[in-house]
Structures are given as structure tokens and as C-alpha cells.
Amino acid sequence: MYPEEKKIRKATRVESVMNSALWHLGQKDLTESELLAKLRVKTDNEDWIADTLEKLRGFGYLKSDNEFAIKFAERAFSSEYGSGYILEKLKKKGLNDTLIKAMITKVKEDLNIDEQAILNERINSYYQEFSISKEKLSAALQKRGFSYAQVNEAIKQHACFEQLQTNLEIKAEKADLEKEVLKYARKGKGMTVIRQELRQRKIDITALDALVEKLISSEQIDFYSACLEQLEKKSYDLTCHKERSKAYAMLSRKGFSSEEIKFAMSEIE
């Protein structure tokens, strides 16, 4: 490990500042702002720092912020990254938004960069078919610096677009309809709410009515008793019209039918 990384020894002469600068630049490309920050740890002598930076520019070892941004953007686009990634990374390196955006625009114009085409090519070559959810795919592509709109357009042009499922749809395919119905029934939900919940979760309810009839016949579900149980948990005065309306509304929100609610109220009265 380079000695400076263990315990930075303060420079006692300008040559030490230059050596430190060359070592850092040998590790990786740095913006002037990044190198300046590192040199100010090495010394507080601004004249030495200024002299070092001037010589490095003269040797061609230190790129201007403009040149650094251009080279970075060129590499990023060629590696199938989008503008958002370039902007984020260069901001962390101390470059300002205006300069970064201007250099991104320059690179796109000079090299005729079409970000949508880059993204389309990436999704078509990397994903012959989809084994992940739409959310996971979208997050992965946005992480590479492409916008939500660009990602959506790229997904829609893919040959297997119709096969791409959301997390909800993937879970729905694995759901056991009978277990789901019994789960909601145990929570005191009526048929209306059960149907709504299953639809929202994209679970196939084609066989729902037949299944519920079977569960009722086998006495695994009794909506009338369930409705009464929910009503008994409350303390409504059913002799009062206002309270009775509140009770009816509460049971209706839980998904019970008018017949089930009337039955429950008649048992309480």
C-alpha cells in the first residue's frame, strides 16, 4: 500500500506534492476537483498546489473538467449507460450540473448518440425472454441512467413484452384460490370484499363462485355466521335508526350482502 494511504505525511517540498499527484493519477482518472482535494490533504501550501496542477496540465497528465466529462460520457455511452448515470457519477466527482449536461449534449451530437436505441439494443440482446418481474427489470435499467419513459418504451418494443409480468402477477400465479378465500373469510370478510381483494391482487377468480359454493356446502365458510360475529364485536344500539345505519354500513364495507346483514341484525334485536 502507498505510504500516503496509511498515514499521510505532510509535504516538506513541492516535489513531494507532485509525487503525490502522480501517484493518485496513476491509480485512476481524477477530475481537477478530486485531485485538488487530495493535494490539500498533503499540504496547505496553495502555491505548491497551483504549481503542481499547472505542470500536470502542461504534461497532459491532468484533463480539464470539460475533457474529463467528455471522455467519461463517451465511455459510458459505449458501455450502454444513459445520461442519468453520467450526470450522477460526474456530480460525485465535483463537476457542476451545467458543465456535465453541456458535455453530455456535445458527446451525443458529435457521436450521434441515440439513448433510446442503445437501451433497446441492450434489452433485446440481454433478455431473449423475461424471467424477472417488470419492476425488477425497470429498476435495473433505470439504475443504468435511463429515464422511466425510455425504459417503458424499450420494454414495449421487446418481442416478449406481453409475457413480462409484474410482481403482483407473478405472486397471483402461485396463489392457491381456496387458501386465499379461507384466509379472507377467517378475517371476517364477506364475499364482495373477497372478490375485490382477489381482483386487485390479479388472482384468477374464474372458479371463485363454484369454489365458494363448495366451501359453504362443506361448512368451511358461513357468511351469515361471520356477519353476525362481526356485528357482535361492536356495540351498536340497533333500536336507534342512526346506529342501525352505521352498523349496516360497517358490515357492508366488510363485504357482506343485504341478506346476511339483515340476518345478523335480526339475531341481535
Side-chain angles (χ1 to χ4, degrees):
M1 184 180 288
Y2 190 76
E4 286 187 9
E5 295 298 298
K6 295 178 181 177
K7 184 177 180 181
I8 297 175
R9 189 179 302 167
K10 291 293 184 179
T12 56
R13 54 200 181 94
V14 69
E15 288 79 9
S16 297
V17 181
M18 174 61 78
N19 289 338
S20 177
L22 291 172
W23 182 83
H24 283 299
L25 290 173
Q27 301 305 300
K28 62 177 181 178
D29 278 347
L30 295 174
T31 64
E32 191 165 313
S33 298
E34 287 177 311
L35 182 59
L36 184 59
K38 292 182 181 296
L39 295 183
R40 281 177 173 160
V41 174
K42 186 69 176 174
T43 182
D44 55 7
N45 188 317
E46 292 294 327
D47 289 337
W48 288 357
I49 292 175
D51 181 67
T52 298
L53 293 178
E54 184 178 352
K55 286 179 179 177
L56 288 171
R57 292 189 201 101
F59 297 150
Y61 294 159
L62 183 61
K63 299 182 181 74
S64 67
D65 286 349
N66 283 20
E67 186 183 359
F68 187 97
I70 287 172
K71 294 300 181 185
F72 186 92
E74 288 175 351
R75 290 195 301 270
F77 283 132
S78 68
S79 299
E80 299 179 329
Y81 285 95
S83 293
Y85 172 88
I86 298 168
L87 181 62
E88 179 187 351
K89 292 296 183 181
L90 290 180
K91 280 174 68 175
K92 288 180 179 178
K93 289 181 173 294
L95 277 62
N96 68 70
D97 279 23
T98 304
L99 181 148
I100 299 169
K101 290 174 181 177
M103 295 305 103
I104 289 175
T105 299
K106 175 176 172 53
V107 171
K108 289 174 73 173
E109 290 176 351
D110 290 350
L111 301 181
N112 196 26
I113 298 292
D114 183 340
E115 287 190 68
Q116 190 65 60
I118 290 174
L119 182 55
N120 290 357
E121 174 61 26
R122 181 174 183 82
I123 194 173
N124 291 337
S125 60
Y126 273 74
Y127 304 95
Q128 280 70 44
E129 57 185 30
F130 298 114
S131 58
I132 60 175
S133 69
K134 183 178 181 181
E135 289 89 348
K136 190 171 181 179
L137 174 62
S138 181
L141 296 176
Q142 287 184 70
K143 191 174 181 180
R144 296 187 70 84
F146 297 102
S147 70
Y148 180 78
Q150 288 172 329
V151 169
N152 268 352
E153 186 173 332
I155 290 174
K156 287 178 181 177
Q157 62 80 46
H158 194 282
C160 297
F161 164 63
E162 297 295 338
Q163 298 173 11
L164 184 61
Q165 295 180 306
T166 63
N167 285 326
L168 203 60
E169 290 167 336
I170 292 172
K171 289 180 181 178
E173 276 196 350
K174 298 177 182 177
D176 183 309
L177 184 60
E178 182 171 327
K179 288 181 180 178
E180 295 299 324
V181 170
L182 289 172
K183 180 183 72 176
Y184 283 117
R186 284 193 293 270
K187 290 181 178 180
K189 304 298 182 183
M191 187 62 178
T192 303
V193 166
I194 291 174
R195 192 185 300 277
Q196 289 172 348
E197 290 288 335
L198 294 175
R199 276 178 177 160
Q200 287 177 4
R201 291 175 56 198
K202 305 290 186 181
I203 295 175
D204 183 4
I205 59 172
T206 305
L208 179 61
D209 291 330
L211 172 64
V212 170
E213 282 185 22
K214 186 191 82 170
L215 293 174
I216 291 174
S217 297
S218 61
E219 298 184 351
Q220 294 184 69
I221 287 180
D222 184 344
F223 288 123
Y224 286 91
S225 297
C227 186
L228 175 59
E229 185 180 334
Q230 293 301 310
L231 182 58
E232 287 176 335
K233 289 181 179 180
K234 305 294 181 179
S235 55
Y236 292 111
D237 179 3
L238 298 183
T239 61
C240 171
H241 177 73
K242 188 174 181 180
E243 288 283 292
R244 192 180 183 86
S245 295
K246 285 182 179 179
Y248 192 99
M250 180 273 292
L251 294 171
S252 182
R253 285 195 300 273
K254 287 182 177 290
F256 295 105
S257 67
S258 295
E259 284 188 7
E260 292 158 355
I261 294 172
K262 288 175 182 176
F263 165 79
M265 288 184 170
S266 67
E267 290 294 305
I268 295 290
E269 292 174 337

